[in-house]
Amino acid sequence: MWYEEKCELCGECLVRCQYVDYDEEKAITQIKELMEGKPAEILKQCVTCCACNEYCPTGANPFDLINRLQEVHGSLPIPEKMRKFMDAGVTAPSALTKGDPSKPVLSLCVMDPFLPADAVGGGMFEGMTVVKGGDYFCYLGYVHIGMDSPLEANAKRFVDALASIGAEEIVFLHADCHAMMSKMPEYGIEVPFKVTHLIEYMRDYLREHADAIEPLGRKIAYQRPCASRYSPEIETVLDDMFERIGVERVARKYDRDSARCCGGLFSRIYPDRIKPMMAENVQDAVTAGAEAMVFLCPLCMGTLAKPAAEQGLKPIFITQLVRMALGELPFP
Ligand code: SF4
Ligand code: SF4
């Protein structure tokens, strides 16, 4: 939600945006135009990376304003095929596989077809009830096609579907779902179960199974997904998790709050702008000395696995990495 009363017109959000080259004056002018509901230039330039919500020092959520106006003005040239891909989320076949009711439930959203075959398995997920498919689709992805309204319109349906499982705790594999849950207070929707981020769940599992860890001693580059902008507090949990499994998250230009969007959608819309930025992101990981590129988002992995592998970086999904440290999978 955009909080106009929190905006101090400092311009920081758009000065830091990696997808435009605005000075402070231009950034402030753009924000003022947005506040007046005008079709400001940034609406077409913005690739919906969500980063400016994290850049804003006052918590005004400028991306939420941008995204709302992108929808109002139809600013993004989203191809029909991509719109249909997004609409197909809710129609994906749903399944609930019952497990031990004393364990948390694992929600895969609609990510199952995009996950590596061995991403969900082994001791960490053993015996959990697993839900997946359109009934548990979180709708956050609509922000990336310049639409804000489907989130609030479907938020209650999303929570109700999950609540109907009757679980005390739900672990969300897809960071988008966790981000969507963080928006529920804005929508005035009560969430009747504990919401757990995949990283928190895995870190806690590792804490309880410290004897099973075989430190990997590897250097990895982390591809931080856009949805992580909604939960910056998870970064310290992630760092703790990497330390526990003996993995060095290399310091690089395009990580943490300066992370770059994987480019999956916008490399098709604005290839001349975005493809070189994707290549810079991968090159940055190589230059920083990483052996592998580790992904939290299955769609980021789908986008960057090939270019990363072509540069000698092994693409690894984050659950695979933890399973490697538990001796369940070999490091590739
Ligand atoms: S969401 Fe990302 S691309 Fe869009 S204005 Fe904010 S920082 Fe720039
Ligand atoms: S939205 Fe935040 S960062 Fe942007 S101008 Fe307002 S206070 Fe500054």
Side-chain angles (χ1 to χ4, degrees), residues 239 260 303:
D239 287 336
R260 275 203 175 155
T303 299

Side-chain angles (χ1 to χ4, degrees), residues 94-108:
S94 299
L96 185 155
T97 309
K98 278 201 172 163
D100 181 346
S102 69
K103 292 190 170 191
V105 165
L106 177 67
S107 173
L108 305 181

Side-chain angles (χ1 to χ4, degrees), residues 168-185:
E168 281 178 22
E169 179 180 4
I170 300 183
V171 179
F172 292 95
L173 177 131
H174 194 203
D176 274 30
C177 295
H178 187 271
M180 185 67 177
M181 282 296 160
S182 75
K183 293 174 85 68
M184 293 307 164

Side-chain angles (χ1 to χ4, degrees), residues 2 6-14 31 55-58 60 62:
W2 161 244
K6 291 189 184 177
C7 180
E8 295 173 354
L9 286 175
C10 65
E12 176 85 0
C13 48
L14 298 186
I31 292 289
Y55 297 153
C56 174
T58 67

Side-chain angles (χ1 to χ4, degrees), residues 13-14 16-20 22 42-43 45-53 55 62-64 66 70 229 261 273:
C13 48
L14 298 186
R16 288 196 64 190
C17 171
Q18 296 188 48
Y19 298 88
V20 291
Y22 291 170
I42 188 64
L43 298 182
Q45 297 296 321
C46 168
V47 301
T48 70
C49 78
C50 315
C52 47
N53 274 3
Y55 297 153
F63 172 63
D64 293 16
I66 290 169
Q70 281 176 325
R229 305 287 180 176
C261 164
R273 273 175 78 203

